[in-house]
Amino acid sequence: MYRKLKERVYEANMELFHRKLIVYTWGNVSEVDREKGVMAIKPSGVDYDKLTPDDMVIVDLNGNKVEG
């Protein structure tokens, strides 16, 4: 249901990594889908070289985990 959202957030996070704008696992990109009332974000502590779109976490706008 959230595949495209997760893929976009993954790609944006990988762009940070490839441009060396992050250190270790610090820093991330998130995206809000207001129509669905959710957002996707990279979880803390996951190495960028092991990151996949499936690792992105979906939370509702109150911070409750929905998926991931």
Side-chain angles (χ1 to χ4, degrees):
M1 178 176 193
Y2 303 108
R3 185 73 189 162
K4 296 284 187 194
L5 178 61
K6 287 182 170 187
E7 288 174 357
R8 286 192 305 271
V9 171
Y10 165 79
E11 291 297 333
N13 277 285
M14 294 310 293
E15 185 72 17
L16 289 179
F17 178 70
H18 292 302
R19 292 182 180 266
K20 298 180 178 14
L21 296 172
I22 53 164
V23 176
Y24 306 115
T25 61
W26 307 336
N28 63 48
V29 173
S30 60
E31 180 182 333
V32 173
D33 183 328
R34 296 206 184 276
E35 286 181 16
K36 293 181 180 172
V38 297
M39 68 180 287
I41 191 166
K42 175 197 165 285
S44 297
V46 176
D47 290 334
Y48 282 85
D49 58 347
K50 297 178 183 172
L51 194 64
T52 70
D54 290 329
D55 293 321
M56 301 303 106
V57 177
I58 304 295
V59 295
D60 67 20
L61 300 182
N62 293 315
N64 301 302
K65 186 166 68 168
V66 174
E67 181 179 301

